[in-house]
Amino acid sequence: MLAQGMTRFATAAETSAVGDLMVEPEAAVSGAPVPSPEAPMILIVGLLLLKEPKGK
């Protein structure tokens, strides 16, 4: 085969272009939810307020 004897190396510009295509830029602002430290306390207080006393 003809291609077996042929060796081609990429230039620096080609290598850089391939690297730019492979790397996905990071978003400046993420849409992911951020955990809130007061959230568990709000849930606990809400459950305590909704709970009926056993004596009724």
Side-chain angles (χ1 to χ4, degrees):
M1 292 209 161
L2 184 61
Q4 288 178 349
M6 185 178 197
T7 304
R8 182 175 187 274
F9 295 101
T11 64
E14 291 171 336
T15 305
S16 177
V18 170
D20 289 342
L21 291 173
M22 290 173 43
V23 176
E24 188 173 322
E26 187 174 331
V29 178
S30 174
V34 179
S36 175
E38 63 271 357
M41 187 58 71
I42 292 171
L43 291 174
I44 291 171
V45 170
L47 288 173
L48 289 174
L49 291 174
L50 292 174
K51 190 174 180 181
E52 292 184 23
K54 291 184 180 181
K56 282 190 171 182

